[in-house]
Amino acid sequence: METERQLLDAIHGGEREAQRRLYDRYSGYAMAIGLRYIPDSDKVRDVLQDSFVKILTSIGNFDYRGEGSLKSWVARIVANKSLDYVRQHEHVQFTNEVPDNADDEEEPDVGNVPPDILDSMIGQLPTGYRVVLNLFVFEQLSHREIAQRLGISERASATHFFRAKKLLQKMIGDYYKQHGI
């Protein structure tokens, strides 16, 4: 399999087919990232088109830092474009009300939930909850970083994360009951 360095060298060398290989290599991964933020696959396809236009027009500015850095860069662009879409097309309200027992909350047990079912559950969360959950869990941002990125308070980020976990925990419990787990 072609390394990221080889792929980048081919792209920088003007090989048009290398751009197609970049798309083929990362489009499925990018789709999965987009679907975490936007549960409608048709809308995600539009975001991916914008993302790959940005990727291909900006690739000359990409700073290669070893194997895996290109994949991370693609993921960051797709996540940012997905967030832009959510901000422009979905009405999201953030609240600062944190329940008293927020610190006592256990993590949802996702061990027996197939990944596609879990992705579907996350897609069913209200937009604000889904966005904060994705940024915290998958992008591994702190509540301070999420707050800065979304223009909300750290408390609002923590609140939405807590509520997302509660809803997810309920959905997982219902799934376990339904499947006798």
Side-chain angles (χ1 to χ4, degrees), residues 136-160:
F136 190 85
V137 173
F138 297 107
E139 307 298 326
Q140 298 181 336
L141 299 180
S142 68
H143 287 300
R144 172 173 285 162
E145 292 167 319
I146 293 169
Q148 290 170 343
R149 199 155 179 191
L150 298 178
I152 61 175
S153 69
E154 285 182 56
R155 187 174 176 96
S157 176
T159 297
H160 280 68

Side-chain angles (χ1 to χ4, degrees), residues 4-162:
E4 287 184 349
R5 175 83 269 164
Q6 291 167 328
L7 181 59
L8 284 167
D9 288 346
I11 291 170
H12 293 313
E15 188 181 324
R16 300 279 293 165
E17 182 56 33
Q19 294 178 349
R20 172 49 106 178
R21 291 194 308 270
L22 175 105
Y23 177 81
D24 290 344
R25 184 172 182 169
Y26 295 117
S27 61
Y29 177 67
M31 180 67 136
I33 292 168
L35 285 169
R36 287 197 317 240
Y37 292 92
I38 308 160
D40 182 323
S41 60
D42 290 333
K43 293 174 183 172
V44 172
R45 282 187 192 88
D46 292 340
V47 169
L48 289 187
Q49 181 176 349
D50 292 344
S51 298
F52 276 97
V53 166
K54 179 166 179 73
I55 289 163
L56 294 172
T57 59
S58 303
I59 200 140
N61 301 325
F62 171 68
D63 183 23
Y64 180 74
R65 295 184 178 161
E67 197 66 25
S69 62
L70 179 59
K71 184 177 183 179
S72 296
W73 183 67
V74 167
R76 196 166 43 255
I77 289 172
V78 173
N80 287 339
K81 288 289 187 183
S82 297
L83 282 173
D84 291 345
Y85 179 89
V86 168
R87 278 194 278 269
Q88 292 172 8
H89 296 93
E90 297 185 33
H91 179 68
V92 182
Q93 282 194 296
F94 293 96
T95 181
N96 289 324
E97 300 170 18
V98 180
D100 293 335
N101 61 348
D103 293 334
D104 303 334
E105 192 60 29
E106 291 182 26
E107 295 295 316
D109 176 19
V110 298
N112 294 318
V113 180
D116 60 324
I117 301 294
L118 185 59
D119 287 344
S120 175
M121 289 175 183
I122 291 171
Q124 293 173 41
L125 293 172
T127 303
Y129 297 3
R130 185 176 63 246
V131 167
V132 170
L133 178 84
N134 281 312
L135 290 172
F136 190 85
V137 173
F138 297 107
E139 307 298 326
Q140 298 181 336
L141 299 180
S142 68
H143 287 300
R144 172 173 285 162
E145 292 167 319
I146 293 169
Q148 290 170 343
R149 199 155 179 191
L150 298 178
I152 61 175
S153 69
E154 285 182 56
R155 187 174 176 96
S157 176
T159 297
H160 280 68
F161 180 66
F162 171 79

